[in-house]
Amino acid sequence: MKKEVKLSSVAFPAPVYIVGTYNEDGTANAMNAAWGGICASDPPSIMVAVRPARKTFENIMNNKAFTINFPNEALMEVSDYIGLISGKKENKIEKAGLKTAKGEEVNAPILTDYPVSLECSLTDKLEVGSHMLFIGEIKRVLADEEVLDENDRIDVGKVGAIGYDPAGRNYILTNKVVGKAFCAGLGMLKKKED
Amino acid sequence: MKKEVKLSSVAFPAPVYIVGTYNEDGTANAMNAAWGGICASDPPSIMVAVRPARKTFENIMNNKAFTINFPNEALMEVSDYIGLISGKKENKIEKAGLKTAKGEEVNAPILTDYPVSLECSLTDKLEVGSHMLFIGEIKRVLADEEVLDENDRIDVGKVGAIGYDPAGRNYILTNKVVGKAFCAGLGMLKKKED
C-alpha cells in the first residue's frame, strides 16, 4: 500500500561530496554537499548544488573550479564536521588536519586524504530555487593506489564510500556489490514476449 | 599515493533512478538513469540527465512531467532490463510485468512495485554535452508502508535501495547506516583550535 509522506528532497542514495575550493587568500576550503550527481558522459561532467550563502559559492564563482572528494567511513567524522560550520567562520581544513595539493588542471585543492578525487572546471550554472547548480567538467580523476584493481580501475568495494540518506539524515555504506549492470537483466531481455 | 586514472564520469555512489513517463499513446515507459541527483531543498527538486535519443527525452518534453522510482535489490533484474533496451523498441513495462498508477499531481506513471517514488513536474532544463538535464520539482513523495518507521518517515534500511558504481558498472547496496549526519562531527566542531 502506497502512502504519501512529507514532501522533501529525498533520493536513495544521495552522495556525500566534499567540495574543495580556494579562498581569495589562497587558503583551501571544503564543503559537505549531498545535492549533486553526474550529469553527462561526454564531456564527463558533474553537478553540485550550492546555496548562495556558502563560502564555496563565492569560491567557485571566483575560481571557476572545484574538486569533488569522496569520503570513506574513516573520513565520516571529519566530513560531517566540514558540514557543520562555514568556512567563513573557521579554517576547516587546518582544524581537521587535512592535507591538500593544488589541482594540476584546475585552480582548486585536492583533499589528498580522500580515496578518490575529481578535478572539475566550471562550465555552466543554473539557479534552481534555494540552490545554484554548478556544472563542472571532470578534467582529472585521482585515486589512491590502494583502491585500484589490477587494471588500474577504481574498485568500489575498496573505496568504501559513504553516501547520504536525506530521509533519516544518516550516512550509509555503499561498498557492497550485489550485481552487474547491463547484465543482470539480460535474461529478461531475451525472454520472448508472452 | 595518488594515481591519475582513466577520465570518465565517476561518482561514489551514483543512484539508480527508474524514470517513469507516458508515451504519446498513453502507455507507460521507463528508463534506467544513473546520472542525476537532488538539486534543491526549496522547492524540493531533483535532476535527471537524459540523452536526446531516448524515448524518455521525448516524453518529458511532451508531458513536462516524470516520476523517479527507486529500486531495491529484488527489483534489480527488472531495473537492469529497463536499461538494456529502448522504449522505442518494446513495451518494457508490460514485458517486465510492472504495475503503474497515474500520478496525482503530474502526468506521469508511478511504478507501484518500487518502494519509493517521486512525482516530478518539469521546471527547467539545461543541455550539458551528451545529456539534457531535466529539473523536476518534487510534488509528491510516495512510499510503501513497509518502508516507513513509526513516524511515517522513510527508513533507508527498509528501502534497501540499490545504487550504481560507474567505475565497475556494478549495482551496490545502500542500506547500511554507519552514522548520523550533522552529529558525527560535533566532537571535532567543539574541539578548541590548537
Side-chain angles (χ1 to χ4, degrees):
Chain A
M1 181 65 191
K2 287 268 180 253
K3 204 161 173 178
E4 184 173 352
V5 299
K6 187 169 168 285
L7 185 66
S8 66
S9 292
V10 288
F12 303 93
V16 179
Y17 291 169
I18 305 300
V19 186
T21 54
Y22 281 124
N23 300 320
E24 302 86 332
D25 65 1
T27 55
N29 188 31
M31 174 190 162
N32 181 326
W35 298 168
I38 293 290
C39 59
S41 305
D42 184 21
S45 303
I46 193 163
M47 177 278 285
V48 62
V50 180
R51 287 183 188 267
R54 304 285 186 225
K55 183 65 189 158
T56 293
F57 182 95
E58 290 175 28
N59 289 353
I60 295 179
M61 295 294 270
N62 288 341
N63 296 308
K64 317 286 187 222
F66 56 92
T67 64
I68 303 275
N69 307 271
F70 303 99
N72 56 22
E73 194 177 349
L75 291 159
M76 179 172 67
E77 183 185 358
V78 63
S79 301
D80 191 62
Y81 155 71
I82 286 168
L84 286 169
I85 190 157
S86 170
K88 293 177 180 175
K89 295 196 179 153
E90 56 187 47
N91 183 331
K92 296 191 266 189
I93 298 282
E94 191 176 86
K95 185 162 172 183
L98 292 172
K99 292 181 290 299
T100 65
K102 194 178 172 308
E104 278 192 21
E105 294 282 339
V106 307
N107 186 29
I110 300 155
L111 304 188
T112 54
D113 299 287
Y114 285 68
V116 181
S117 303
L118 310 176
E119 291 185 24
C120 305
S121 170
L122 183 70
T123 53
D124 210 340
K125 58 187 197 297
L126 179 71
E127 196 180 334
V128 179
S130 53
H131 285 67
M132 180 70 81
L133 276 53
F134 287 117
I135 314 296
E137 181 178 336
I138 302 169
K139 294 294 201 175
R140 284 176 91 212
V141 182
L142 295 159
D144 284 342
E145 279 189 349
E146 298 82 59
V147 304
L148 299 178
D149 68 15
E150 62 281 10
N151 302 312
D152 275 355
R153 276 208 320 207
I154 300 170
D155 181 320
V156 70
K158 292 178 180 171
V159 176
I162 54 172
Y164 179 61
D165 154 34
R169 300 181 134 206
N170 295 301
Y171 292 116
I172 48 176
L173 257 190
T174 68
N175 64 344
K176 192 183 167 197
V177 172
V178 289
K180 289 300 290 179
F182 309 101
C183 179
L186 278 174
M188 191 170 292
L189 179 69
K190 288 170 187 158
K191 203 176 68 174
K192 283 223 177 70
E193 306 269 357
D194 296 325
Chain B
M1 183 63 192
K2 288 267 179 254
K3 205 161 171 178
E4 183 173 352
V5 300
K6 187 171 168 285
L7 186 65
S8 66
S9 292
V10 289
F12 303 93
V16 179
Y17 291 170
I18 306 300
V19 186
T21 54
Y22 282 124
N23 301 319
E24 302 85 332
D25 66 2
T27 56
N29 188 31
M31 175 189 162
N32 181 327
W35 298 168
I38 293 290
C39 60
S41 304
D42 184 20
S45 303
I46 194 163
M47 177 278 285
V48 62
V50 180
R51 286 183 188 268
R54 304 286 186 221
K55 183 64 187 159
T56 294
F57 183 94
E58 291 174 30
N59 289 354
I60 296 179
M61 294 294 270
N62 289 339
N63 297 308
K64 318 284 186 222
F66 57 91
T67 63
I68 303 277
N69 307 272
F70 303 98
N72 56 23
E73 194 177 350
L75 291 160
M76 179 173 68
E77 183 186 357
V78 63
S79 301
D80 191 61
Y81 155 71
I82 286 167
L84 285 169
I85 190 157
S86 170
K88 294 178 180 174
K89 294 196 178 152
E90 56 188 47
N91 184 330
K92 295 190 268 189
I93 298 282
E94 192 176 86
K95 186 164 172 182
L98 292 173
K99 294 182 288 300
T100 64
K102 193 178 170 310
E104 279 193 19
E105 293 282 339
V106 308
N107 187 29
I110 298 155
L111 304 188
T112 54
D113 299 286
Y114 286 68
V116 181
S117 302
L118 309 177
E119 291 186 25
C120 305
S121 170
L122 184 70
T123 52
D124 211 339
K125 56 188 199 297
L126 179 70
E127 195 180 335
V128 178
S130 52
H131 285 66
M132 181 69 82
L133 276 51
F134 288 117
I135 313 297
E137 182 179 334
I138 302 170
K139 294 293 201 175
R140 283 177 91 213
V141 181
L142 295 158
D144 285 342
E145 279 189 349
E146 299 81 59
V147 303
L148 299 178
D149 67 15
E150 62 282 10
N151 302 312
D152 276 354
R153 277 210 316 209
I154 300 171
D155 181 320
V156 71
K158 293 177 179 171
V159 175
I162 54 172
Y164 180 60
D165 155 34
R169 300 180 133 207
N170 296 301
Y171 292 116
I172 48 176
L173 257 190
T174 68
N175 64 345
K176 193 184 167 199
V177 173
V178 288
K180 290 300 289 179
F182 308 102
C183 178
L186 278 175
M188 192 171 292
L189 179 67
K190 289 170 187 159
K191 203 176 68 174
K192 284 224 177 72
E193 305 271 356
D194 297 325

